[in-house]
Amino acid sequence: MGKPLVIGLTGGIASGKSSVAEGFSQLGVPVIDTDAIAREVVAPGMPALNAIKARFGNSVLDATGQLNRRALRNLIFEDAQARADLEAITHPAIRDLALNRIAAADAKYVVLVVPLLIEKGWDRLVDRVLVIDAPESTQKARLMQRDGISAEKAQAIINSQADRSSRLTKADDVIHNDAALESLDNEILALHNKYLSLTTT
């Protein structure tokens, strides 16, 4: 089997990316989640963790030698250069591992989940962009409930990402995740059949 069709799945925070990814997974489609890969590449013994330690010092490690994510977040929160340095270490490692998994997938198509697909230029690595879209009011309510945060904090997080219109202009396909779960399942199945048909033409 040749290289699979790569579907880049993205969407704003609390839009339902995980639910949609799980739906594709249940249909037997390989799902490659860059958030999960991001945790793998900074595991103890991995080159990226050694580079992070060299750049930021031992304060970003916990007592067991694992990455202390909170300490690292605090260091880069308001330091653009530190954030850029971290991304220069982690992003190539994440991209390389993701591409390796795509190449190894024995499937007609794969779903690559990248929250900041458009913002970070990952759309250039995929064949089609699938945007999970939800009204901002829905995102906000889900975020407040999920993370137990204030309306102001939720709005600030939403504002820090690309706006809906920017994402939608890049979309080849859109799932509107603002209705019942049954409707979501139907949208996923329809796209599944579409992607399979694209691989046989």
Side-chain angles (χ1 to χ4, degrees):
M1 188 177 290
K3 178 180 177 291
L5 186 74
V6 181
I7 310 301
L9 187 159
T10 193
I13 194 162
S15 59
K17 295 183 295 295
S18 297
S19 299
V20 174
E22 177 60 24
F24 279 108
S25 182
Q26 288 178 1
L27 291 170
V29 180
V31 173
I32 300 163
D33 187 339
T34 55
D35 275 351
I37 290 176
R39 289 189 288 275
E40 288 182 52
V41 300
V42 295
M46 297 294 280
L49 184 62
N50 295 334
I52 290 169
K53 177 184 171 185
R55 165 61 179 84
F56 295 98
N58 288 330
S59 66
V60 297
L61 302 181
D62 65 18
T64 66
Q66 303 267 353
L67 183 65
N68 183 330
R69 295 174 186 283
R70 177 171 292 184
L72 184 58
R73 268 198 305 270
N74 290 341
L75 276 177
I76 68 170
F77 182 63
E78 290 184 338
D79 187 335
Q81 184 59 56
R83 190 179 309 116
D85 290 347
L86 177 64
E87 291 179 352
I89 294 167
T90 58
H91 285 192
I94 295 165
R95 185 183 64 245
D96 289 349
L97 188 49
L99 291 175
N100 286 343
R101 294 205 171 148
I102 290 168
D106 183 20
K108 290 188 173 181
Y109 80 93
V110 300
V111 172
L112 177 67
V113 185
V114 189
L116 298 178
L117 182 100
I118 292 156
E119 293 91 330
K120 298 299 182 183
W122 281 69
D123 52 315
R124 296 190 295 272
L125 302 177
V126 304
D127 298 303
R128 295 183 71 83
V129 173
L130 168 57
V131 170
I132 315 308
D133 185 54
E136 194 172 286
S137 57
T138 303
Q139 286 179 266
K140 192 171 173 180
R142 288 175 181 161
L143 199 49
M144 289 166 63
Q145 182 178 17
R146 187 188 78 186
D147 294 355
I149 58 177
S150 67
E152 293 75 19
K153 176 73 170 171
Q155 189 64 53
I157 293 171
I158 291 168
N159 291 346
S160 71
Q161 297 190 326
D163 58 61
R164 282 177 76 192
S165 60
S166 297
R167 268 192 298 270
L168 290 170
T169 57
K170 294 275 191 175
D172 296 295
D173 306 292
V174 179
I175 284 181
H176 299 286
N177 185 22
D178 55 358
L181 201 58
E182 184 181 349
S183 173
L184 184 64
D185 289 342
N186 289 339
E187 289 193 76
I188 293 167
L189 183 58
L191 279 177
H192 175 62
N193 292 328
K194 175 181 179 178
Y195 296 148
L196 287 178
S197 72
L198 288 173
T199 65
T200 56
T201 54

